[in-house]
């Protein structure tokens, strides 16, 4: 695998979903990355948290942070799907780096997990 762009997205899922519906939303966005020949590096589910202000009449939401690698068209595909998904209240996608090797990033994440003793 060659060089790819490295991105991060933070999205907010409605708080009134059942746990299995919530998991389906998280899996949906991982699958979009993989279907566009991207690589998911990390999915960090922060859980339900209180919002600083109401969003679509909700005072809480499930936060999900996903880091991934992919081509330049991948963020727009995620934006399109986030906008059409009634379960997603808010989202942001940012580019972290231009040229990275996904396998190097995966190794870094694994090392962090071992060091932290998490997951």
């Amino acid at each position: 695998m060659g060089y790819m762009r490295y991105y991060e997205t933070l999205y907010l899922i409605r708080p009134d979903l059942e746990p299995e519906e919530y998991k389906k939303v998280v899996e949906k966005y991982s699958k979009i990355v993989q279907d566009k020949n991207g690589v998911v590096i990390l999915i960090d589910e922060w859980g339900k948290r209180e919002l600083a202000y109401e969003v679509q009449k909700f005072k809480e939401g499930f936060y999900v942070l996903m880091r991934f690698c992919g081509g330049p068209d991948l963020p727009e595909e995620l934006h399109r799907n986030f906008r059409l998904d009634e379960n997603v209240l808010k989202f942001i996608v940012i580019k972290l780096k231009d040229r990275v090797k996904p396998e190097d990033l995966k190794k870094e994440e694994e090392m962090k997990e071992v060091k932290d003793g998490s997951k």
Side-chain angles (χ1 to χ4, degrees):
M1 202 177 304
Y3 287 101
M4 300 175 113
R5 291 184 180 175
Y6 187 32
Y7 300 98
E8 175 176 90
T9 184
L10 180 65
Y11 57 99
L12 184 60
I13 302 172
R14 355 170 4 121
D16 58 349
L17 296 182
E18 294 297 320
E20 57 274 0
E21 293 174 303
Y22 165 78
K23 286 283 182 209
K24 282 182 187 173
V25 174
V26 174
E27 288 168 5
K28 172 184 176 180
Y29 292 102
S30 295
K31 186 169 179 351
I32 289 170
V33 169
Q34 292 163 354
D35 288 350
K36 293 292 260 173
N37 299 317
V39 179
V40 175
I41 303 299
L42 168 79
I43 295 178
D44 191 2
E45 297 175 26
W46 296 358
K48 191 187 286 189
R49 296 189 177 193
E50 191 174 327
L51 304 176
Y53 56 91
E54 258 185 41
V55 176
Q56 297 178 24
K57 301 191 178 167
F58 291 106
K59 294 182 181 188
E60 295 180 321
F62 284 100
Y63 283 85
V64 180
L65 174 74
M66 178 172 66
R67 291 195 179 124
F68 60 96
C69 293
D73 58 332
L74 186 50
E76 187 50 44
E77 183 63 20
L78 284 171
H79 276 225
R80 191 179 71 73
N81 280 277
F82 283 139
R83 280 192 299 269
L84 295 172
D85 193 335
E86 62 189 28
N87 293 318
V88 175
L89 302 175
K90 287 228 171 243
F91 64 90
I92 186 169
V93 180
I94 57 172
K95 181 173 69 173
L96 299 174
K97 291 183 183 170
D98 261 323
R99 289 175 46 91
V100 296
K101 289 190 175 181
E103 52 275 9
D104 294 344
L105 293 171
K106 279 193 176 251
K107 284 179 194 164
E108 279 179 34
E109 272 314 313
E110 288 167 8
M111 293 304 291
K112 281 184 198 170
E113 288 176 13
V114 168
K115 197 184 262 185
D116 294 344
S118 63
K119 299 183 184 176

